[in-house]
Amino acid sequence: MTVALPPTAHRPALRHRLAERGVDRTLLLVLPGALAVVALFCYPFLYGLQLSFQPTSGATQGGFSFGAYHAFFSEPFARKSIWQTFSLAVPASLINVGVSVPISYRMRRDFRGKRLLLALLVVPITLGTVLTAEGILEFYGPAGWFNHTLNLLGLASSPVQLTMNYTGVLLSLIISGFPFAYLLTHSYLSGIHPSLEKAASTLGADWWQRFRHITFPLLLPGLMTTFCLSFVMAFAVFPSAMMVGDPDGKTHVISIEAYEAALEHFDYAQGCADAMIMTVLMLVVIVAVTTLRSRLYSGSTGGKG
């Protein structure tokens, strides 16, 4: 007697099961990137975070300790690095964003030599901070071309000190950070339709009135985002602070403090704590600027309603 076997249940394919649950299959494309973020960022960050709470060298091992954070804030020289980092990052970011606005505004129009000028504006981003610092040493150093030119023109009898100090690091941050700020500002400005300014022009508004009342309010949210990204790049300054600055004085930034603690004194708990303090300070500025940005944007949309 032949017994008929029940038919095998057909299991729907993964894409059909996702579709039945209302999940977009294209989200699967995010999975490799998400795994890379976890492996390359989340895990090292969390590992460094827990390492920063380990007892400092010389203390009893084991347990949970704020010793590394207490050591940072109790040391005047280390604590001063916070101000020195902000004194470099904030001016550099403001200068890069501020200068990029008029240049981007002018670059929207076609003119002769535009491509060459665009290449000159963007090429520093390909050099990197180390090569930029080397160039500053050669050009602005005491025996560099800049001081040599001033001497030939009779404008300076002695070399102008532009390297191995605060000025050298600020120049490096501006040179390396401006192309990034310009590209972002230009992309935001390109998103503003020219017809808005043309309509205002037909109503008798000059270029300053058009920029002040139309272009700048629309550009402001993008400028605030550009400032945040430029600030993060400048706040993490390290190579230029070491090469063209005064790492034991006015350019002793937090990144140098973390480097010395971890790789010179081999106190990894202290180095991680310094890095976490640096991260928190950056996040405070980013949250403050993005909060102000959202309030300005919500206020403008609310006023229209």
Side-chain angles (χ1 to χ4, degrees):
M1 181 178 181
T2 304
V3 179
L5 297 176
T8 305
H10 177 69
R11 184 177 179 82
L14 176 61
R15 61 178 182 272
H16 296 302
R17 297 200 304 269
L18 292 176
E20 292 174 358
R21 297 178 182 179
V23 179
D24 190 355
R25 289 178 298 167
T26 57
L27 293 177
L28 295 176
L29 299 176
V30 183
L31 186 59
L35 293 176
V37 170
V38 171
L40 300 178
F41 175 75
C42 293
Y43 173 74
F45 176 81
L46 294 176
Y47 180 77
L49 179 62
Q50 65 88 21
L51 192 62
S52 68
F53 290 108
Q54 289 187 0
T56 56
S57 57
T60 304
Q61 297 299 317
F64 186 85
S65 173
F66 286 94
Y69 293 93
H70 180 267
F72 178 88
F73 288 105
S74 61
E75 175 61 36
F77 187 67
R79 192 169 60 244
K80 190 178 179 180
S81 65
I82 296 177
W83 162 251
Q84 290 166 342
T85 308
F86 273 103
S87 66
L88 284 168
V90 174
S93 303
L94 290 176
I95 292 173
N96 286 333
V97 175
V99 174
S100 66
V101 174
I103 296 179
S104 301
Y105 191 79
R106 181 64 182 88
M107 291 289 286
R108 290 196 306 171
R109 301 178 181 179
D110 292 328
F111 56 89
R112 189 174 182 180
K114 179 179 178 179
R115 293 183 178 180
L116 177 61
L117 180 58
L118 179 61
L120 293 176
L121 291 174
V122 177
V123 71
I125 204 172
T126 65
L127 301 179
T129 55
V130 175
L131 189 57
T132 301
E134 287 286 351
I136 290 176
L137 287 174
E138 294 294 331
F139 187 82
Y140 292 106
W145 296 350
F146 182 78
N147 278 295
H148 185 63
T149 304
L150 293 180
N151 188 22
L152 290 177
L153 296 176
L155 299 177
S157 57
S158 59
V160 180
Q161 191 67 29
L162 296 176
T163 57
M164 312 311 295
N165 53 15
Y166 173 90
T167 306
V169 181
L170 185 62
L171 284 173
S172 176
L173 293 177
I174 293 173
I175 293 173
S176 60
F178 171 75
F180 182 76
Y182 164 74
L183 290 174
L184 286 175
T185 303
H186 186 70
S187 65
Y188 286 118
L189 195 58
S190 300
I192 301 176
H193 204 282
S195 61
L196 297 175
E197 293 189 37
K198 292 181 180 179
S201 179
T202 58
L203 297 176
D206 56 21
W207 74 269
W208 171 246
Q209 291 174 327
R210 296 195 301 269
F211 178 79
R212 179 183 177 184
H213 297 289
I214 297 176
T215 305
F216 185 74
L218 295 174
L219 183 61
L220 184 58
L223 291 180
M224 300 180 79
T225 302
T226 303
F227 172 82
C228 288
L229 298 177
S230 299
F231 174 80
V232 170
M233 292 179 61
F235 199 82
V237 56
F238 179 78
S240 57
M242 293 286 291
M243 298 177 64
V244 296
D246 181 18
D248 295 326
K250 294 184 178 180
T251 63
H252 185 80
V253 292
I254 305 179
S255 58
I256 294 179
E257 185 71 21
Y259 168 80
E260 291 178 350
L263 299 179
E264 291 186 4
H265 305 295
F266 300 101
D267 190 348
Y268 297 110
Q270 186 64 57
C272 291
D274 296 345
M276 293 301 147
I277 293 171
M278 184 177 176
T279 303
V280 170
L281 293 175
M282 284 192 293
L283 290 177
V284 168
V285 174
I286 292 173
V287 170
V289 175
T290 52
T291 301
L292 179 61
R293 177 184 182 275
S294 61
R295 288 184 178 181
L296 289 174
Y297 184 75
S298 62
S300 61
T301 53
K304 291 180 180 180

